[in-house]
């Protein structure tokens, strides 16, 4: 019913009206042995989640709340690459479907005019050092008006309708994003991370800028040099020391 033009992504589709979180369902399906490319889409999430236990606002009929089950043969430390791959796919899919150009802020934010329009959450299903599945969750604000967002989000969040001036066909955007992601994913499995890395760098707004990275334990200010082949952010502080940032929230200062 989503009219997908992909071969593998969406081979199995779980389409729901309302769920706690599509991630939660995808985890269960992965545990039960779901095939690669299985997707879970819901019209609403009652407990949509972001990173580090944060909430993801997922109101009914206005967004695209989707989780994709992947089964790449990669090491756990390569998993951040899939977040970047998803980000590139989202930017390209949105551009194809709507003509709207988005930026990427490391690691998982998609922005338009500095406001967040898409969030990506990559979670692993792993046993000891082996990955059984990677669940990529994508939350896209499509048809919300500004007043649909809770007050605390109005200053930092936006939607494609707000930016584009009219509502969009959500299925068409999902199709475009999944098509980009499938193509890029199979290229990645075959040829490695380089193509994704180059594309990612071309959409990234944080690279070369002064940023502040807040990790769970501390905060480091410096210049974002780029990303490594594993998708780790390299940050050079005032003393010239280069830090490898695996997970953080980034504030761009310049
Ligand atoms: C993310 O987390 O950006 C990952 C969001 C992933 C959502 C998808 S939807 C499908 C799948 N199922 C789920 O349950 N989750 C995934 P993070 O970087 O931690 O950002 C979370 C922060 O973004 C919140 O603390 C808010 O400040 C802000 N936020 C919450 N909802 C938002 C929204 N709809 N639009 C923009 N910003 C939002």
């Amino acid at each position: 019913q989503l009219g997908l033009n992909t071969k593998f992504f969406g081979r199995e589709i779980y389409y729901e009206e309302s769920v706690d979180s599509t991630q939660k369902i995808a985890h269960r399906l992965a545990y039960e042995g779901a095939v690669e490319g299985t997707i879970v889409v819901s019209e609403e999430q009652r407990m949509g989640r972001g990173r580090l236990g944060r909430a993801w606002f997922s109101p009914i009929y206005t967004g695209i709340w989707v989780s994709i089950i992947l089964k790449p043969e990669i090491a756990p430390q390569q998993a951040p690459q899939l977040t970047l791959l998803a980000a590139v796919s989202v930017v390209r899919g949105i551009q194809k479907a709507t003509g709207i150009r988005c930026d990427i802020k490391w690691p998982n934010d998609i922005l338009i005019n500095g406001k967040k329009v898409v969030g990506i959450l990559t979670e692993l299903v792993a046993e000891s050092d082996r990955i059984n599945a990677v669940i990529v969750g994508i939350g896209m604000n499509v048809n919300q008006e500004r007043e649909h967002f809770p007050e605390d989000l109005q200053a930092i969040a936006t939607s494609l309708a707000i930016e584009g001036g009219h509502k969009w066909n959500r299925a068409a955007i999902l199709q475009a994003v999944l098509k980009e992601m499938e193509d890029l994913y199979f290229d990645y499995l075959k040829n490695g991370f380089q193509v994704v890395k180059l594309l990612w760098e071309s959409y990234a707004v944080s690279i070369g800028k002064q940023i502040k990275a807040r990790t769970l334990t501390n905060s480091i200010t410096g210049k974002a040099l780029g990303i490594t082949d594993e998708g780790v952010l390299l940050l050079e502080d005032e003393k010239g020391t280069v830090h490898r940032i695996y997970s953080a929230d980034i504030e761009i200062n310049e």
Side-chain angles (χ1 to χ4, degrees):
Q1 73 268 47
L2 297 172
L4 299 181
N5 49 2
T6 42
K7 283 203 192 75
F8 290 92
F9 286 21
R11 273 194 287 189
E12 294 271 349
I13 299 174
Y14 292 79
Y15 170 76
E16 310 286 344
E17 181 77 2
S18 179
V19 298
D20 280 350
S21 160
T22 57
Q23 290 294 97
K24 201 167 140 189
I25 294 178
H27 272 277
R28 198 194 68 223
L29 293 169
Y31 182 75
E32 292 168 355
V35 293
E36 179 164 61
T38 298
I39 67 174
V40 183
V41 193
S42 183
E43 294 288 2
E44 168 188 58
Q45 298 187 110
R46 297 182 300 266
M47 296 211 318
R49 59 194 197 214
R51 294 177 301 152
L52 307 169
R54 291 188 283 234
W56 184 258
F57 174 65
S58 317
I60 195 154
Y61 302 139
T62 51
I64 299 172
W65 323 124
V66 60
S67 297
I68 303 145
I69 299 177
L70 301 177
K71 298 187 162 183
E73 295 196 357
I74 58 172
Q77 60 268 28
Q78 287 174 289
Q81 294 176 341
L82 292 169
T83 301
L84 307 189
L85 186 151
V88 167
S89 310
V90 166
V91 170
R92 291 165 72 82
I94 287 177
Q95 171 122 41
K96 280 212 173 127
T98 69
I100 296 176
R101 168 81 210 245
C102 307
D103 301 312
I104 303 176
K105 197 178 91 173
W106 186 90
N108 70 330
D109 288 354
I110 311 289
L111 309 176
I112 303 176
N113 297 322
K115 288 186 174 177
K116 187 155 166 175
V117 66
V118 177
I120 296 167
L121 177 66
T122 306
E123 296 178 319
L124 299 186
V125 181
E127 259 171 68
S128 57
D129 214 26
R130 225 190 89 79
I131 287 190
N132 287 336
V134 178
I135 298 172
V136 180
I138 305 176
M140 297 190 245
N141 299 327
V142 181
N143 287 332
Q144 294 98 330
E145 302 296 341
R146 195 167 303 286
E147 57 273 17
H148 286 149
F149 288 102
E151 227 158 81
D152 59 324
L153 288 183
Q154 287 189 8
I156 57 165
T158 191
S159 74
L160 294 173
I162 294 171
E163 301 300 326
H166 59 84
K167 292 204 181 343
W168 300 94
N169 178 330
R170 287 177 300 150
I173 294 170
L174 180 60
Q175 282 159 24
V177 168
L178 290 179
K179 177 80 176 101
E180 288 295 319
M181 191 162 160
E182 176 173 288
D183 289 348
L184 206 52
Y185 177 67
F186 286 110
D187 181 82
Y188 160 82
L189 291 183
K190 202 164 149 225
N191 303 314
F193 184 57
Q194 282 314 310
V195 169
V196 176
K197 186 170 183 245
L198 284 175
L199 287 171
W200 188 88
E201 284 167 343
S202 74
Y203 299 120
V205 283
S206 37
I207 303 308
K209 303 230 169 94
Q210 280 299 122
I211 65 167
K212 183 191 239 176
R214 260 187 235 96
T215 70
L216 275 181
T217 47
N218 62 356
S219 110
I220 307 170
T221 310
K223 186 178 173 188
L225 299 179
I227 53 171
T228 68
D229 286 345
E230 285 167 343
V232 173
L233 181 70
L234 296 174
L235 177 57
E236 183 180 30
D237 68 20
E238 301 93 72
K239 293 183 193 137
T241 307
V242 177
H243 302 260
R244 295 166 62 87
I245 311 285
Y246 289 86
S247 170
D249 286 302
I250 298 296
E251 199 179 287
I252 301 171
N253 294 329
E254 187 185 276

